Amino acid sequence: MNRPPVSIVTGGAGFLGSHLCDRLLAEGHQVIAMDNLITGSVANIEHLAGVRSFKFICHDVTEYIFYPGPVDFVFHFASPASPNDYLEYPIQTLKVGALGTHKALGLARAKKARFILASTSEVYGDPLVHPQPETYWGNVNPIGPRGVYDEAKRFAEAMTMAYHRAHGVDTKIARIFNTYGPRMRPRDGRVVPSFITQALKGEPLTVYGDGRQTRSFCYVDDLVEGVYRLALSDCHDPVNLGNPQEMTVLEIAEKIRQLCGSNSPIEFRPLPVDDPRVRQPDITRARTLLGWEPRTSLEEGLKRTVDYFRRLLEQGAL
Ligand code: UDP
């Protein structure tokens, strides 16, 4: 190929999408970010203004995606992704997982591009198998409040495999576990930005339930590395991407409080409906097929994230 690879990133102004755009640009790609900005923000990509190989198109990818010229990779990362967001936008969440995936796959098919789906550990629901390997089919409540996200992503995986089998599209599926880092929205409701914001402002840390539910947190740069390796791989089956270091919500609250040097008290709140009790990726497949595993320690990743939120605080944006 005597031109740079061209990548379209749906959700390119979001948390993961914008970091992915940075990485692809660093790899010499020409990058087109698409986003309708319902949960994404131009602030996440404003540092790319004026970069010749980057373009932003404000578009709702549940509608037909028109792009002239060659495309080599379609990264479908558009979706509300925090429980608060998908409770606020339930229908948009279902639409972008279903109709948006269909449109993005259609584009990949027409352009003979590789397609990479941002799927989620939520396909495992409240898991009865622990840790979760890709072979586990999950335990999802289809009609619960989280069902809009979980089922949309499950549908998206089914649609992706159908395009692979029926149309021969070169598809990849990343099952992304809890990820954190700079550019998360302070008020998106997810646990890391919530606790950091609360700790920096001296407000109580809102722990849901008894705080003994577990999650496993991956730093965003590690995650993007995994996505990039997956995109270049020959693997069509889903691959878990996440950090297997599991901890309770109370432990992450303590850690964040300590890193922020905060005296905020812990305040217990009711556990949201269908909140998974445990979550930890089995990353054997990613290790074996991609030679990938997370490298950033929780301490280091949280420090970088806290620095980002401190800057927002100084700017009066927290
Ligand atoms: N959580 C919490 N306090 C908060 C936000 C979240 O205790 O202010 C808990 C939530 O109930 C869940 C875990 O932290 O058990 C992770 O929540 P998050 O919204 O980050 O993502 P999830 O993994 O549930 O999709």
Side-chain angles (χ1 to χ4, degrees):
M1 202 167 24
N2 51 6
R3 57 167 177 80
V6 178
S7 284
I8 291 195
V9 180
T10 78
F15 163 52
L16 290 184
S18 65
H19 283 280
L20 180 61
C21 288
D22 288 343
R23 174 63 187 268
L24 293 169
L25 288 165
E27 296 290 342
H29 287 224
Q30 193 188 322
V31 177
I32 301 99
M34 286 187 183
D35 206 298
N36 67 355
L37 300 176
I38 65 167
T39 59
S41 165
V42 282
N44 290 336
I45 48 171
E46 65 187 358
H47 60 288
L48 299 176
V51 172
R52 285 178 59 131
S53 47
F54 179 75
K55 189 149 103 183
F56 173 64
I57 299 175
C58 189
H59 179 64
D60 179 345
V61 297
T62 64
E63 306 285 345
Y64 187 85
I65 303 170
F66 174 75
Y67 183 76
V71 178
D72 303 295
F73 297 86
V74 176
F75 292 87
H76 182 39
F77 275 58
S79 178
S82 89
N84 273 10
D85 288 341
Y86 46 78
L87 293 184
E88 190 174 346
Y89 303 108
I91 295 169
Q92 290 92 330
T93 301
L94 281 160
K95 283 178 71 179
V96 75
L99 308 180
T101 303
H102 185 217
K103 298 291 180 289
L105 277 163
L107 175 71
R109 181 185 179 206
K111 302 288 184 181
K112 298 191 169 30
R114 285 188 172 206
F115 177 86
I116 301 92
L117 174 68
S119 185
T120 169
S121 53
E122 282 284 319
V123 300
Y124 303 123
D126 189 3
L128 304 176
V129 170
H130 190 68
Q132 296 79 53
E134 291 86 349
T135 45
Y136 177 48
W137 291 354
N139 177 39
V140 171
N141 173 6
I143 58 164
R146 295 175 86 104
V148 295
Y149 184 64
D150 304 8
E151 296 296 1
K153 291 291 189 183
R154 288 169 69 98
F155 177 93
E157 288 198 6
M159 184 66 117
T160 299
M161 289 311 292
Y163 264 67
H164 173 63
R165 294 190 182 113
H167 294 314
V169 177
D170 186 355
T171 60
K172 327 279 167 196
I173 297 174
R175 289 191 180 149
I176 299 172
F177 283 64
N178 293 67
T179 303
Y180 70 97
R183 300 186 198 156
M184 295 187 94
R185 285 199 338 272
R187 307 240 165 244
D188 89 349
R190 278 185 283 191
V191 69
V192 171
S194 298
F195 286 175
I196 294 178
T197 305
Q198 292 161 348
L200 290 178
K201 296 181 93 172
E203 297 168 358
L205 269 58
T206 53
V207 169
Y208 299 161
D210 61 9
R212 283 192 297 181
Q213 69 274 31
T214 68
R215 295 293 186 272
S216 310
F217 297 96
C218 186
Y219 187 64
V220 62
D221 290 356
D222 288 336
L223 194 281
V224 167
E225 174 69 28
V227 170
Y228 186 68
R229 286 187 190 208
L230 177 63
L232 299 183
S233 78
D234 294 326
C235 183
H236 304 298
D237 289 331
V239 177
N240 286 340
L241 294 177
N243 192 321
Q245 191 192 340
E246 184 186 15
M247 67 190 63
T248 66
V249 166
L250 266 180
E251 283 167 343
I252 188 89
E254 263 320 318
K255 187 85 206 157
I256 287 175
R257 203 156 60 158
Q258 175 212 326
L259 282 175
C260 294
S262 164
N263 296 320
S264 291
I266 301 250
E267 199 172 276
F268 291 93
R269 298 270 177 88
L271 191 68
V273 177
D274 294 336
D275 197 278
R277 199 178 43 78
V278 290
R279 195 185 277 154
Q280 182 190 29
D282 177 334
I283 60 164
T284 309
R285 190 175 284 179
R287 278 196 177 108
T288 314
L289 297 181
L290 312 177
W292 174 86
E293 65 184 344
R295 303 243 169 252
T296 313
S297 68
L298 184 73
E299 176 103 5
E300 179 56 34
L302 280 179
K303 275 189 186 152
R304 289 186 213 164
T305 312
V306 169
D307 284 348
Y308 171 80
F309 281 91
R310 269 195 215 284
R311 280 200 298 279
L312 290 187
L313 185 66
E314 284 158 16
Q315 293 160 10
L318 260 201

mmCIF file of all heavy atoms in Angstrom, residues 150-185:
data_model
loop_
_atom_site.group_PDB
_atom_site.id
_atom_site.type_symbol
_atom_site.label_atom_id
_atom_site.label_comp_id
_atom_site.label_asym_id
_atom_site.label_seq_id
_atom_site.Cartn_x
_atom_site.Cartn_y
_atom_site.Cartn_z
ATOM 1 N N ASP A 150 -26.286 -4.220 27.802
ATOM 2 C CA ASP A 150 -25.803 -5.599 27.696
ATOM 3 C C ASP A 150 -26.352 -6.271 26.431
ATOM 4 O O ASP A 150 -25.612 -6.898 25.671
ATOM 5 C CB ASP A 150 -26.244 -6.422 28.911
ATOM 6 C CG ASP A 150 -25.797 -5.805 30.239
ATOM 7 O OD1 ASP A 150 -25.283 -4.678 30.227
ATOM 8 O OD2 ASP A 150 -25.973 -6.456 31.281
ATOM 9 N N GLU A 151 -27.654 -6.109 26.230
ATOM 10 C CA GLU A 151 -28.271 -6.791 25.082
ATOM 11 C C GLU A 151 -27.880 -6.139 23.762
ATOM 12 O O GLU A 151 -27.753 -6.817 22.741
ATOM 13 C CB GLU A 151 -29.791 -6.847 25.235
ATOM 14 C CG GLU A 151 -30.265 -7.674 26.430
ATOM 15 C CD GLU A 151 -29.904 -9.172 26.338
ATOM 16 O OE1 GLU A 151 -29.261 -9.608 25.370
ATOM 17 O OE2 GLU A 151 -30.284 -9.903 27.272
ATOM 18 N N ALA A 152 -27.688 -4.806 23.789
ATOM 19 C CA ALA A 152 -27.245 -4.138 22.557
ATOM 20 C C ALA A 152 -25.882 -4.681 22.144
ATOM 21 O O ALA A 152 -25.632 -4.964 20.966
ATOM 22 C CB ALA A 152 -27.184 -2.629 22.769
ATOM 23 N N LYS A 153 -25.004 -4.855 23.124
ATOM 24 C CA LYS A 153 -23.659 -5.352 22.809
ATOM 25 C C LYS A 153 -23.696 -6.837 22.423
ATOM 26 O O LYS A 153 -22.906 -7.283 21.595
ATOM 27 C CB LYS A 153 -22.724 -5.124 23.993
ATOM 28 C CG LYS A 153 -22.395 -3.653 24.253
ATOM 29 C CD LYS A 153 -21.519 -3.046 23.161
ATOM 30 C CE LYS A 153 -21.010 -1.662 23.540
ATOM 31 N NZ LYS A 153 -20.215 -1.038 22.471
ATOM 32 N N ARG A 154 -24.597 -7.572 23.040
ATOM 33 C CA ARG A 154 -24.715 -8.989 22.656
ATOM 34 C C ARG A 154 -25.222 -9.098 21.209
ATOM 35 O O ARG A 154 -24.729 -9.890 20.411
ATOM 36 C CB ARG A 154 -25.614 -9.740 23.650
ATOM 37 C CG ARG A 154 -24.930 -9.949 25.008
ATOM 38 C CD ARG A 154 -25.883 -10.439 26.065
ATOM 39 N NE ARG A 154 -26.326 -11.798 25.826
ATOM 40 C CZ ARG A 154 -25.813 -12.890 26.414
ATOM 41 N NH1 ARG A 154 -24.812 -12.772 27.291
ATOM 42 N NH2 ARG A 154 -26.268 -14.080 26.151
ATOM 43 N N PHE A 155 -26.214 -8.249 20.902
ATOM 44 C CA PHE A 155 -26.704 -8.188 19.521
ATOM 45 C C PHE A 155 -25.561 -7.779 18.584
ATOM 46 O O PHE A 155 -25.389 -8.364 17.502
ATOM 47 C CB PHE A 155 -27.857 -7.182 19.419
ATOM 48 C CG PHE A 155 -28.376 -6.994 18.020
ATOM 49 C CD1 PHE A 155 -29.443 -7.748 17.548
ATOM 50 C CD2 PHE A 155 -27.783 -6.069 17.175
ATOM 51 C CE1 PHE A 155 -29.905 -7.576 16.251
ATOM 52 C CE2 PHE A 155 -28.242 -5.891 15.874
ATOM 53 C CZ PHE A 155 -29.300 -6.650 15.419
ATOM 54 N N ALA A 156 -24.789 -6.785 19.013
ATOM 55 C CA ALA A 156 -23.686 -6.291 18.175
ATOM 56 C C ALA A 156 -22.691 -7.418 17.883
ATOM 57 O O ALA A 156 -22.188 -7.548 16.758
ATOM 58 C CB ALA A 156 -22.976 -5.127 18.881
ATOM 59 N N GLU A 157 -22.417 -8.244 18.883
ATOM 60 C CA GLU A 157 -21.508 -9.384 18.657
ATOM 61 C C GLU A 157 -22.121 -10.368 17.654
ATOM 62 O O GLU A 157 -21.435 -10.880 16.766
ATOM 63 C CB GLU A 157 -21.209 -10.106 19.981
ATOM 64 C CG GLU A 157 -20.304 -9.319 20.903
ATOM 65 C CD GLU A 157 -19.661 -10.205 21.977
ATOM 66 O OE1 GLU A 157 -19.828 -11.447 21.931
ATOM 67 O OE2 GLU A 157 -18.988 -9.650 22.858
ATOM 68 N N ALA A 158 -23.423 -10.630 17.825
ATOM 69 C CA ALA A 158 -24.099 -11.576 16.915
ATOM 70 C C ALA A 158 -24.075 -11.048 15.484
ATOM 71 O O ALA A 158 -23.811 -11.785 14.520
ATOM 72 C CB ALA A 158 -25.537 -11.812 17.391
ATOM 73 N N MET A 159 -24.337 -9.744 15.353
ATOM 74 C CA MET A 159 -24.345 -9.118 14.025
ATOM 75 C C MET A 159 -22.944 -9.163 13.408
ATOM 76 O O MET A 159 -22.780 -9.427 12.211
ATOM 77 C CB MET A 159 -24.819 -7.668 14.189
ATOM 78 C CG MET A 159 -24.975 -6.920 12.906
ATOM 79 S SD MET A 159 -26.312 -7.634 11.915
ATOM 80 C CE MET A 159 -27.412 -6.256 11.859
ATOM 81 N N THR A 160 -21.950 -8.921 14.233
ATOM 82 C CA THR A 160 -20.563 -8.936 13.755
ATOM 83 C C THR A 160 -20.202 -10.331 13.232
ATOM 84 O O THR A 160 -19.635 -10.477 12.134
ATOM 85 C CB THR A 160 -19.613 -8.514 14.907
ATOM 86 O OG1 THR A 160 -19.968 -7.181 15.300
ATOM 87 C CG2 THR A 160 -18.159 -8.550 14.480
ATOM 88 N N MET A 161 -20.547 -11.370 13.988
ATOM 89 C CA MET A 161 -20.236 -12.733 13.543
ATOM 90 C C MET A 161 -21.035 -13.092 12.288
ATOM 91 O O MET A 161 -20.550 -13.819 11.415
ATOM 92 C CB MET A 161 -20.516 -13.744 14.663
ATOM 93 C CG MET A 161 -19.544 -13.677 15.824
ATOM 94 S SD MET A 161 -17.785 -13.657 15.381
ATOM 95 C CE MET A 161 -17.566 -15.295 14.727
ATOM 96 N N ALA A 162 -22.268 -12.569 12.189
ATOM 97 C CA ALA A 162 -23.076 -12.841 10.983
ATOM 98 C C ALA A 162 -22.429 -12.210 9.749
ATOM 99 O O ALA A 162 -22.371 -12.825 8.679
ATOM 100 C CB ALA A 162 -24.498 -12.313 11.181
ATOM 101 N N TYR A 163 -21.928 -10.981 9.886
ATOM 102 C CA TYR A 163 -21.247 -10.346 8.747
ATOM 103 C C TYR A 163 -19.951 -11.086 8.400
ATOM 104 O O TYR A 163 -19.557 -11.162 7.239
ATOM 105 C CB TYR A 163 -20.966 -8.856 9.039
ATOM 106 C CG TYR A 163 -22.026 -7.957 8.461
ATOM 107 C CD1 TYR A 163 -23.317 -7.984 8.962
ATOM 108 C CD2 TYR A 163 -21.745 -7.108 7.390
ATOM 109 C CE1 TYR A 163 -24.307 -7.186 8.423
ATOM 110 C CE2 TYR A 163 -22.725 -6.296 6.839
ATOM 111 C CZ TYR A 163 -24.000 -6.335 7.361
ATOM 112 O OH TYR A 163 -24.973 -5.550 6.814
ATOM 113 N N HIS A 164 -19.319 -11.607 9.423
ATOM 114 C CA HIS A 164 -18.088 -12.372 9.166
ATOM 115 C C HIS A 164 -18.433 -13.656 8.404
ATOM 116 O O HIS A 164 -17.824 -13.966 7.370
ATOM 117 C CB HIS A 164 -17.398 -12.696 10.493
ATOM 118 C CG HIS A 164 -16.225 -13.605 10.336
ATOM 119 N ND1 HIS A 164 -15.108 -13.251 9.604
ATOM 120 C CD2 HIS A 164 -15.990 -14.865 10.791
ATOM 121 C CE1 HIS A 164 -14.254 -14.253 9.620
ATOM 122 N NE2 HIS A 164 -14.757 -15.237 10.327
ATOM 123 N N ARG A 165 -19.453 -14.362 8.898
ATOM 124 C CA ARG A 165 -19.772 -15.661 8.289
ATOM 125 C C ARG A 165 -20.474 -15.515 6.943
ATOM 126 O O ARG A 165 -20.170 -16.246 5.991
ATOM 127 C CB ARG A 165 -20.663 -16.462 9.239
ATOM 128 C CG ARG A 165 -19.939 -16.851 10.527
ATOM 129 C CD ARG A 165 -20.741 -17.851 11.345
ATOM 130 N NE ARG A 165 -20.036 -18.168 12.584
ATOM 131 C CZ ARG A 165 -20.468 -17.829 13.800
ATOM 132 N NH1 ARG A 165 -21.613 -17.185 13.959
ATOM 133 N NH2 ARG A 165 -19.762 -18.140 14.873
ATOM 134 N N ALA A 166 -21.426 -14.585 6.874
ATOM 135 C CA ALA A 166 -22.227 -14.484 5.654
ATOM 136 C C ALA A 166 -21.541 -13.665 4.562
ATOM 137 O O ALA A 166 -21.684 -13.960 3.378
ATOM 138 C CB ALA A 166 -23.596 -13.868 5.982
ATOM 139 N N HIS A 167 -20.805 -12.626 4.957
ATOM 140 C CA HIS A 167 -20.223 -11.721 3.963
ATOM 141 C C HIS A 167 -18.698 -11.760 3.944
ATOM 142 O O HIS A 167 -18.071 -11.020 3.186
ATOM 143 C CB HIS A 167 -20.664 -10.277 4.237
ATOM 144 C CG HIS A 167 -22.137 -10.037 4.038
ATOM 145 N ND1 HIS A 167 -22.830 -10.487 2.931
ATOM 146 C CD2 HIS A 167 -23.048 -9.386 4.813
ATOM 147 C CE1 HIS A 167 -24.097 -10.126 3.027
ATOM 148 N NE2 HIS A 167 -24.263 -9.471 4.161
ATOM 149 N N GLY A 168 -18.112 -12.568 4.811
ATOM 150 C CA GLY A 168 -16.647 -12.681 4.812
ATOM 151 C C GLY A 168 -15.930 -11.429 5.298
ATOM 152 O O GLY A 168 -14.744 -11.238 4.998
ATOM 153 N N VAL A 169 -16.622 -10.559 6.047
ATOM 154 C CA VAL A 169 -15.927 -9.369 6.569
ATOM 155 C C VAL A 169 -14.914 -9.814 7.623
ATOM 156 O O VAL A 169 -15.173 -10.719 8.421
ATOM 157 C CB VAL A 169 -16.942 -8.355 7.174
ATOM 158 C CG1 VAL A 169 -16.205 -7.152 7.785
ATOM 159 C CG2 VAL A 169 -17.926 -7.881 6.107
ATOM 160 N N ASP A 170 -13.750 -9.166 7.574
ATOM 161 C CA ASP A 170 -12.664 -9.493 8.512
ATOM 162 C C ASP A 170 -12.955 -8.771 9.828
ATOM 163 O O ASP A 170 -12.656 -7.587 9.979
ATOM 164 C CB ASP A 170 -11.337 -9.029 7.895
ATOM 165 C CG ASP A 170 -10.137 -9.452 8.721
ATOM 166 O OD1 ASP A 170 -10.335 -10.026 9.821
ATOM 167 O OD2 ASP A 170 -9.010 -9.187 8.274
ATOM 168 N N THR A 171 -13.578 -9.482 10.758
ATOM 169 C CA THR A 171 -14.073 -8.834 11.982
ATOM 170 C C THR A 171 -13.292 -9.272 13.223
ATOM 171 O O THR A 171 -12.762 -10.392 13.277
ATOM 172 C CB THR A 171 -15.560 -9.171 12.211
ATOM 173 O OG1 THR A 171 -15.692 -10.594 12.346
ATOM 174 C CG2 THR A 171 -16.427 -8.684 11.074
ATOM 175 N N LYS A 172 -13.279 -8.396 14.216
ATOM 176 C CA LYS A 172 -12.662 -8.673 15.527
ATOM 177 C C LYS A 172 -13.627 -8.182 16.594
ATOM 178 O O LYS A 172 -14.317 -7.168 16.385
ATOM 179 C CB LYS A 172 -11.348 -7.900 15.727
ATOM 180 C CG LYS A 172 -10.528 -7.676 14.492
ATOM 181 C CD LYS A 172 -9.716 -8.868 14.117
ATOM 182 C CE LYS A 172 -9.173 -8.709 12.709
ATOM 183 N NZ LYS A 172 -8.698 -9.957 12.154
ATOM 184 N N ILE A 173 -13.623 -8.856 17.731
ATOM 185 C CA ILE A 173 -14.494 -8.455 18.842
ATOM 186 C C ILE A 173 -13.660 -8.329 20.107
ATOM 187 O O ILE A 173 -13.104 -9.318 20.594
ATOM 188 C CB ILE A 173 -15.625 -9.493 19.066
ATOM 189 C CG1 ILE A 173 -16.520 -9.573 17.824
ATOM 190 C CG2 ILE A 173 -16.435 -9.143 20.312
ATOM 191 C CD1 ILE A 173 -17.575 -10.678 17.892
ATOM 192 N N ALA A 174 -13.588 -7.107 20.642
ATOM 193 C CA ALA A 174 -12.878 -6.877 21.915
ATOM 194 C C ALA A 174 -13.913 -6.809 23.035
ATOM 195 O O ALA A 174 -14.803 -5.959 22.997
ATOM 196 C CB ALA A 174 -12.094 -5.571 21.850
ATOM 197 N N ARG A 175 -13.812 -7.699 24.010
ATOM 198 C CA ARG A 175 -14.677 -7.600 25.195
ATOM 199 C C ARG A 175 -13.920 -6.797 26.250
ATOM 200 O O ARG A 175 -13.025 -7.327 26.914
ATOM 201 C CB ARG A 175 -15.064 -8.980 25.706
ATOM 202 C CG ARG A 175 -16.041 -9.661 24.771
ATOM 203 C CD ARG A 175 -16.638 -10.906 25.390
ATOM 204 N NE ARG A 175 -17.574 -11.515 24.464
ATOM 205 C CZ ARG A 175 -17.818 -12.800 24.393
ATOM 206 N NH1 ARG A 175 -17.223 -13.634 25.226
ATOM 207 N NH2 ARG A 175 -18.694 -13.266 23.529
ATOM 208 N N ILE A 176 -14.297 -5.557 26.376
ATOM 209 C CA ILE A 176 -13.535 -4.604 27.180
ATOM 210 C C ILE A 176 -14.074 -4.581 28.611
ATOM 211 O O ILE A 176 -15.267 -4.339 28.822
ATOM 212 C CB ILE A 176 -13.621 -3.204 26.524
ATOM 213 C CG1 ILE A 176 -13.021 -3.261 25.101
ATOM 214 C CG2 ILE A 176 -12.929 -2.165 27.393
ATOM 215 C CD1 ILE A 176 -13.231 -2.005 24.287
ATOM 216 N N PHE A 177 -13.195 -4.833 29.551
ATOM 217 C CA PHE A 177 -13.538 -4.770 30.979
ATOM 218 C C PHE A 177 -13.286 -3.344 31.492
ATOM 219 O O PHE A 177 -12.757 -2.508 30.766
ATOM 220 C CB PHE A 177 -12.710 -5.805 31.766
ATOM 221 C CG PHE A 177 -13.214 -7.224 31.604
ATOM 222 C CD1 PHE A 177 -13.189 -7.857 30.373
ATOM 223 C CD2 PHE A 177 -13.735 -7.917 32.686
ATOM 224 C CE1 PHE A 177 -13.660 -9.162 30.216
ATOM 225 C CE2 PHE A 177 -14.205 -9.212 32.545
ATOM 226 C CZ PHE A 177 -14.178 -9.838 31.310
ATOM 227 N N ASN A 178 -13.653 -3.101 32.733
ATOM 228 C CA ASN A 178 -13.543 -1.749 33.304
ATOM 229 C C ASN A 178 -12.199 -1.105 32.975
ATOM 230 O O ASN A 178 -11.148 -1.667 33.270
ATOM 231 C CB ASN A 178 -13.701 -1.788 34.829
ATOM 232 C CG ASN A 178 -15.100 -2.201 35.242
ATOM 233 O OD1 ASN A 178 -15.497 -3.339 35.012
ATOM 234 N ND2 ASN A 178 -15.843 -1.298 35.844
ATOM 235 N N THR A 179 -12.268 0.060 32.376
ATOM 236 C CA THR A 179 -11.071 0.790 31.959
ATOM 237 C C THR A 179 -11.151 2.200 32.531
ATOM 238 O O THR A 179 -12.249 2.737 32.656
ATOM 239 C CB THR A 179 -10.983 0.817 30.419
ATOM 240 O OG1 THR A 179 -10.985 -0.544 29.952
ATOM 241 C CG2 THR A 179 -9.726 1.502 29.918
ATOM 242 N N TYR A 180 -10.016 2.773 32.873
ATOM 243 C CA TYR A 180 -10.024 4.110 33.463
ATOM 244 C C TYR A 180 -8.847 4.897 32.926
ATOM 245 O O TYR A 180 -7.890 4.319 32.371
ATOM 246 C CB TYR A 180 -9.940 4.021 35.009
ATOM 247 C CG TYR A 180 -8.592 3.540 35.488
ATOM 248 C CD1 TYR A 180 -7.601 4.447 35.895
ATOM 249 C CD2 TYR A 180 -8.276 2.184 35.475
ATOM 250 C CE1 TYR A 180 -6.348 4.006 36.293
ATOM 251 C CE2 TYR A 180 -7.027 1.742 35.870
ATOM 252 C CZ TYR A 180 -6.065 2.658 36.271
ATOM 253 O OH TYR A 180 -4.830 2.212 36.650
ATOM 254 N N GLY A 181 -8.899 6.206 33.101
ATOM 255 C CA GLY A 181 -7.786 7.050 32.684
ATOM 256 C C GLY A 181 -8.269 8.463 32.429
ATOM 257 O O GLY A 181 -9.452 8.770 32.598
ATOM 258 N N PRO A 182 -7.338 9.341 32.017
ATOM 259 C CA PRO A 182 -7.708 10.699 31.667
ATOM 260 C C PRO A 182 -8.794 10.719 30.586
ATOM 261 O O PRO A 182 -8.853 9.801 29.758
ATOM 262 C CB PRO A 182 -6.400 11.288 31.114
ATOM 263 C CG PRO A 182 -5.329 10.476 31.726
ATOM 264 C CD PRO A 182 -5.886 9.099 31.885
ATOM 265 N N ARG A 183 -9.613 11.761 30.599
ATOM 266 C CA ARG A 183 -10.713 12.018 29.658
ATOM 267 C C ARG A 183 -12.008 11.312 30.017
ATOM 268 O O ARG A 183 -12.982 11.419 29.282
ATOM 269 C CB ARG A 183 -10.343 11.676 28.203
ATOM 270 C CG ARG A 183 -9.170 12.469 27.695
ATOM 271 C CD ARG A 183 -8.946 12.212 26.217
ATOM 272 N NE ARG A 183 -7.613 12.638 25.856
ATOM 273 C CZ ARG A 183 -6.923 12.167 24.825
ATOM 274 N NH1 ARG A 183 -7.459 11.280 24.029
ATOM 275 N NH2 ARG A 183 -5.712 12.611 24.593
ATOM 276 N N MET A 184 -12.027 10.564 31.127
ATOM 277 C CA MET A 184 -13.340 10.115 31.591
ATOM 278 C C MET A 184 -14.073 11.365 32.064
ATOM 279 O O MET A 184 -13.457 12.304 32.582
ATOM 280 C CB MET A 184 -13.208 9.150 32.763
ATOM 281 C CG MET A 184 -12.524 7.865 32.399
ATOM 282 S SD MET A 184 -12.568 6.679 33.752
ATOM 283 C CE MET A 184 -14.027 5.721 33.329
ATOM 284 N N ARG A 185 -15.360 11.391 31.890
ATOM 285 C CA ARG A 185 -16.127 12.567 32.338
ATOM 286 C C ARG A 185 -16.252 12.537 33.864
ATOM 287 O O ARG A 185 -16.599 11.510 34.433
ATOM 288 C CB ARG A 185 -17.531 12.569 31.730
ATOM 289 C CG ARG A 185 -17.532 12.949 30.277
ATOM 290 C CD ARG A 185 -18.857 13.402 29.730
ATOM 291 N NE ARG A 185 -20.038 12.990 30.439
ATOM 292 C CZ ARG A 185 -20.696 11.857 30.236
ATOM 293 N NH1 ARG A 185 -20.243 10.974 29.368
ATOM 294 N NH2 ARG A 185 -21.795 11.605 30.893
#
